[in-house]
């Protein structure tokens, strides 16, 4: 009597680089298995500072002493928008003389971080935003 050794089957691997809702189709012998396709929600990977976005459009109309909104939006290295919070962004507003004021950014838990800046002097200002000591462009 001869016995054949069973060939191990490698577990399937899935590598997704695009965040969002996807349909996973699984077949056996060319036929879909029961329940296929399966809904899969892929979240963005770890936030990558250089891929994040800063909306400073409202700063064009900023006035001395008035609070003006800024928004930071987190993205991963693939450019996927984050759908969760938890990142510790740091923001600083610097005036032309080099004086800096820390800007608090509120984490909304959805990849958006909102802050308010209030310039203390007239003139050009620069907003610096970083994550883990890496500048957000």
């Amino acid at each position: 009597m001869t016995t054949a050794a069973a060939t191990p089957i490698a577990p399937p691997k899935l590598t997704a680089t695009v965040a969002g809702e996807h349909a996973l189709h699984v077949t056996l012998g060319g036929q879909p298995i029961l329940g296929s396709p399966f809904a899969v929600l892929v979240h963005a990977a770890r936030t990558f500072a250089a891929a994040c976005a800063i909306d400073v459009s409202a700063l064009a109309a900023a006035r001395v002493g008035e609070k003006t909104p800024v928004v930071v939006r987190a993205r991963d290295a693939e450019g996927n928008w984050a759908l969760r919070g938890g990142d510790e962004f740091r923001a600083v507003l610097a005036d032309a003389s080099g004086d800096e004021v820390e800007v608090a950014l509120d984490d909304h838990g959805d990849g958006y971080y909102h802050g308010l800046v209030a310039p203390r002097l007239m003139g050009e200002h620069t907003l610096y935003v970083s994550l883990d000591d890496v500048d957000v462009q």
Side-chain angles (χ1 to χ4, degrees):
M1 176 161 144
T2 343
T3 58
T7 305
I9 298 174
K13 284 187 177 182
L14 173 67
T15 302
T17 57
V18 178
E21 293 183 19
H22 300 276
L24 177 63
H25 296 265
V26 180
T27 60
L28 180 63
Q31 297 298 314
I33 68 167
L34 184 64
S36 181
F38 300 94
V40 177
L41 177 61
V42 177
H43 290 276
R46 185 174 186 271
T47 301
F48 185 67
C52 296
I54 307 170
D55 180 0
V56 293
S57 57
L59 293 180
R63 297 188 180 278
V64 173
E66 291 182 10
K67 294 179 181 177
T68 306
V70 296
V71 179
V72 177
R73 189 154 181 216
R75 281 197 279 202
D76 67 12
E78 298 289 334
N80 295 301
W81 295 111
L83 302 176
R84 45 91 192 116
D87 296 307
E88 293 187 22
F89 286 97
R90 179 174 185 261
V92 173
L93 182 68
D95 63 28
S97 70
D99 288 339
E100 297 181 347
V101 175
E102 192 85 19
V103 177
L105 293 173
D106 296 324
D107 182 352
H108 286 246
D110 59 0
Y112 286 90
Y113 299 79
H114 295 224
L116 294 171
V117 298
R120 295 184 293 183
L121 303 171
M122 286 182 53
E124 189 172 310
H125 288 68
T126 305
L127 179 67
Y128 298 98
V129 180
S130 63
L131 175 65
D132 299 327
D133 295 322
V134 176
D135 290 338
V136 172
Q137 304 296 323

